[in-house]
Amino acid sequence: MGDVAKMAGVSHQTVSRVLNNHPNVSGKTKERVESAIASLGYRRNTAARSLVTRRSRTIGVLACETGQFGPANTLLGVEQAGREAGYFVSIANLREVTSDSVNDAIAHFRNQSVDGIVILVPHPDVLAALRDVEVPVPIVAVGAGAGNQLTGASLDQRLGARRAVEHLIGLGHRSIAHISGPPHWIDAAERINGWQEALGGAGLEPEVLLQGTWDAASGYRAGLELIRHRSITAVFVANDQMAVGVLRAVQEAGLQVPGDISVVGYDDQPEAEFFMPPLTTIKQDFEELGRRCMEAVLQQLEGDGGSGEQMVNPRLVIRSTTAAPALHRAPFPLN
């Protein structure tokens, strides 16, 4: 920094102000300092800076199922928001959710001296494990749910599910099934609750609830079971990956979407508009979720406890897989 100051003809403090984007530096002075920085190839010594500020400028992220669209894009959202705030992200990806794996990941983050931790595993076992771990840095849990002791940022899963089902009800459907995600996932449980609430609000009964595992293969298997329920005219599927499996099962059975069965997915992954037919779904703003997570961590780092659970509202994207129910459904092929 002394070399930069000498080349630019300014003080050491002025160089520091430029590096920290201080407003009390003239444009010409800033240009001279930045030119000297570029000429000398100056880079801050982050290790020395950490010793002075007692900040590593690193956020630990505990993640799981990052091969799935939702978790992967939530992680990307956190990383992007972290970079914009001047933080690096250190990721620990759980292969399985156990108390030991959570404790090991937290210990790893503590060894790295992270400034805060974001939990991207909306799983009750993870939240339970965290209750027994002492962590001297702020923790934000994505999808922790209202009433949890952790500060959280969540996509409103229940609201998204209600909007999906209310769309189908508005089209005239009265027998609406649901294919859920794994029962141990908080997001899956919240989408079941939203499905039930929307049906109950319309005076309808939740007749058929099938369970998947987030992947297309489980959606296909659930779809084969679904079409045997003759009264069902529509299905709300807990994510787009399973929805594509449902579309294949329905079409292989000789039925039409949406002529015989309307289908709504969840997430609005980029391929959803290119499914055949293009998928009606619920869009989640993962970038905004990541920004809210970083805001919550930074608020705690600055001594502000934050405002508790921050909710991001999803929205319905209507495409071609939903329509009014047909008067007569095509016969189910016996072979």
Side-chain angles (χ1 to χ4, degrees):
M1 191 179 290
D3 293 337
V4 172
K6 183 177 180 180
M7 176 176 283
V10 299
S11 68
H12 184 283
Q13 289 81 5
T14 298
V15 175
S16 179
R17 291 191 186 101
V18 171
L19 291 170
N20 290 289
N21 295 314
H22 197 283
N24 295 335
V25 180
S26 70
K28 290 184 178 179
T29 299
K30 185 177 180 180
E31 287 180 7
R32 290 207 312 275
V33 172
E34 289 177 342
S35 176
I37 287 172
S39 296
L40 294 171
Y42 171 75
R43 296 291 182 273
R44 284 180 170 179
N45 186 322
T46 55
R49 180 177 172 82
S50 296
L51 288 173
V52 174
T53 63
R54 296 187 179 182
R55 294 276 182 90
S56 66
R57 307 296 294 184
T58 301
I59 300 296
V61 179
L62 183 62
C64 186
E65 298 282 353
T66 52
Q68 299 294 332
F69 177 77
N73 283 272
T74 302
L75 177 58
L76 289 174
V78 172
E79 285 186 304
Q80 179 176 343
R83 286 195 302 271
E84 291 173 355
Y87 283 80
F88 293 100
V89 169
S90 175
I91 302 168
N93 192 22
L94 299 181
R95 290 182 177 271
E96 56 180 353
V97 178
T98 66
S99 294
D100 288 343
S101 66
V102 173
N103 290 335
D104 288 345
I106 297 299
H108 171 70
F109 289 144
R110 293 188 67 174
N111 290 336
Q112 289 186 319
S113 299
V114 299
D115 294 332
I117 298 173
V118 176
I119 308 295
L120 297 187
V121 189
H123 192 299
D125 289 350
V126 172
L127 302 180
L130 290 171
R131 297 189 190 105
D132 301 323
V133 178
E134 292 187 9
V135 184
V137 298
I139 296 182
V140 170
V142 171
N148 192 278
Q149 80 276 16
L150 295 174
T151 297
S154 298
L155 293 156
D156 196 332
Q157 308 293 346
R158 191 175 298 203
L159 174 62
R162 287 204 307 269
R163 286 178 172 170
V165 178
E166 287 167 357
H167 167 63
L168 294 168
I169 293 171
L171 291 172
H173 294 277
R174 295 296 177 266
S175 296
I176 303 170
H178 178 46
I179 299 175
S180 76
H184 52 274
W185 282 87
I186 295 173
D187 289 354
E190 285 294 282
R191 292 172 199 178
I192 292 174
N193 290 334
W195 167 67
Q196 293 172 333
E197 287 176 0
L199 292 176
L204 303 174
E205 292 294 325
E207 299 176 27
V208 177
L209 172 61
L210 302 172
Q211 183 182 308
T213 55
W214 297 131
D215 59 280
S218 70
Y220 175 75
R221 292 189 296 269
L224 293 177
E225 174 64 24
L226 174 73
I227 57 181
R228 297 181 182 276
H229 293 268
R230 301 296 299 151
S231 64
I232 297 300
T233 62
V235 57
F236 163 49
V237 188
N239 77 342
D240 293 347
Q241 284 294 103
M242 291 193 296
V244 73
V246 172
L247 292 177
R248 175 175 171 177
V250 171
Q251 291 165 359
E252 284 185 356
L255 303 177
Q256 299 296 316
V257 175
D260 297 304
I261 299 178
S262 286
V263 179
V264 179
Y266 208 103
D267 283 339
D268 193 29
Q269 65 183 62
E271 297 83 4
E273 65 177 309
F274 299 102
F275 289 177
M276 186 56 69
L279 183 67
T280 295
T281 186
I282 299 295
K283 183 177 183 63
Q284 304 200 85
D285 191 340
F286 296 108
E287 181 178 337
E288 176 65 12
L289 179 62
R291 188 180 68 81
R292 297 282 184 94
C293 291
M294 289 303 305
E295 282 182 357
V297 171
L298 294 176
Q299 282 176 351
Q300 293 188 56
L301 285 171
E302 298 303 322
D304 181 355
S307 56
E309 184 79 359
Q310 299 188 48
M311 301 301 290
V312 179
N313 292 337
R315 64 182 179 87
L316 175 69
V317 179
I318 300 174
R319 296 194 179 101
S320 304
T321 56
T322 53
L327 294 177
H328 301 285
R329 181 169 146 181
F332 181 77
L334 297 179
N335 57 349

